[in-house]
Amino acid sequence: EPEVTQTPSHQVTQMGQEVILRCVPISNHLYFYWYRQILGQKVEFLVSFYNNEISEKSEIFDDQFSVERPDGSNFTLKIRSTKLEDSAMYFCASSEALGADTQYFGPGTRLTVL
Amino acid sequence: AQKITQTQPGMFVQEKEAVTLDCTYDTSDPSYGLFWYKQPSSGEMIFLIYQGSYDQQNATEGRYSLNFQKARKSANLVISASQLGDSAMYFCAMREGQSGYNKLIFGAGTRLAVHP
């Protein structure tokens, strides 16, 4: 069964460093998302992406964040200058074209900012 | 106001018994979708079941069923014949609107513990 994959599974970084979280969505999916979950809290929407542009972003998704689909398979989330409060689990998700509703999540990347 | 409310921070159930996890939602959009996801201790988010606002029947997927009461704006998850492997965090989520790219709004989750 096709699945969303994410790398790395765990990333440790120093405050102020740039990180890139990588995702490979399900191959025939056209809509891509990033969510984050701070430890013990609810899952929060960050950004959605379709047709090589951002469809919607939350207030969390400030200028420190960016997303890119550098090729036909990868979808990345970049945090330019990490802060302690960026420590969280980051989930990538994807869904099919319009009319299909389910967003399938990847296993997540746990980001720890020291 | 909270869009998705899960009032049970934790639930216990005996193995082989059924359990209901509560979820209420708030939206003025006539078209929406409701989802349940399972998050085991390993951290991944596993899709369980989906209910569309226009669906006439309650959704079912194996041991999972969704008790959808539109007038009450509730979408409770029922797990029948609980298994030890069902112990996990369960999240209710809502997508507002018809477009496939609309974000999911999650509740705070319910931690389910299944006892032998």
Side-chain angles (χ1 to χ4, degrees):
Chain A
E1 188 173 322
E3 58 183 17
V4 178
T5 59
Q6 290 186 243
T7 54
S9 56
H10 192 186
Q11 173 99 41
V12 181
T13 189
Q14 294 290 326
M15 191 170 57
Q17 295 295 304
E18 174 184 287
V19 294
I20 297 176
L21 310 183
R22 302 180 194 280
C23 168
V24 178
I26 295 173
S27 61
N28 64 330
H29 286 187
L30 298 178
Y31 297 87
F32 314 118
Y33 315 81
W34 284 100
Y35 293 83
R36 80 171 185 191
Q37 184 184 31
I38 294 171
L39 188 63
Q41 297 187 23
K42 66 172 72 174
V43 179
E44 302 172 288
F45 168 77
L46 291 178
V47 65
S48 58
F49 190 87
Y50 168 69
N51 200 26
N52 283 318
E53 60 182 29
I54 290 174
S55 304
E56 186 178 0
K57 59 184 181 179
S58 72
E59 57 189 26
I60 302 168
F61 194 88
D62 61 22
D63 292 344
Q64 295 294 324
F65 292 88
S66 62
V67 289
E68 193 179 31
R69 188 149 162 86
D71 53 43
S73 59
N74 289 284
F75 179 51
T76 62
L77 174 70
K78 182 193 289 186
I79 310 175
R80 289 190 183 80
S81 178
T82 50
K83 303 186 282 283
L84 295 176
E85 54 265 37
D86 293 328
S87 294
M89 182 76 103
Y90 288 81
F91 291 103
C92 173
S94 70
S95 63
E96 286 184 74
L98 285 174
D101 297 291
T102 301
Q103 292 181 25
Y104 291 94
F105 282 69
T109 293
R110 182 165 297 286
L111 176 66
T112 303
V113 183
L114 302 175
Chain B
Q2 295 287 332
K3 291 270 189 177
I4 293 286
T5 302
Q6 294 181 255
T7 57
Q8 306 153 315
M11 288 285 284
F12 296 90
V13 67
Q14 206 72 26
E15 195 178 8
K16 298 177 187 165
E17 297 289 310
V19 63
T20 298
L21 306 184
D22 294 342
C23 173
T24 57
Y25 59 92
D26 182 28
T27 182
S28 57
D29 198 316
S31 176
Y32 52 89
L34 297 157
F35 302 79
W36 279 91
Y37 288 85
K38 173 184 178 181
Q39 187 178 42
S41 57
S42 50
E44 70 266 36
M45 294 286 286
I46 302 167
F47 165 72
L48 295 178
I49 196 167
Y50 163 78
Q51 180 85 43
S53 59
Y54 294 120
D55 292 344
Q56 295 296 314
Q57 293 190 326
N58 287 346
T60 61
E61 286 285 349
R63 293 186 300 110
Y64 304 107
S65 60
L66 204 152
N67 184 1
F68 181 45
Q69 298 189 43
K70 198 169 181 177
R72 293 185 175 185
K73 293 189 174 179
S74 74
N76 298 339
L77 176 70
V78 180
I79 306 174
S80 62
S82 298
Q83 301 171 356
L84 295 178
D86 293 335
S87 295
M89 196 76 168
Y90 288 81
F91 290 97
C92 179
M94 177 173 64
R95 173 192 49 76
E96 291 177 298
Q98 284 187 309
S99 299
Y101 54 78
N102 285 51
K103 65 187 180 216
L104 291 179
I105 303 165
F106 283 82
T110 296
R111 184 169 299 283
L112 177 66
V114 181
H115 292 299

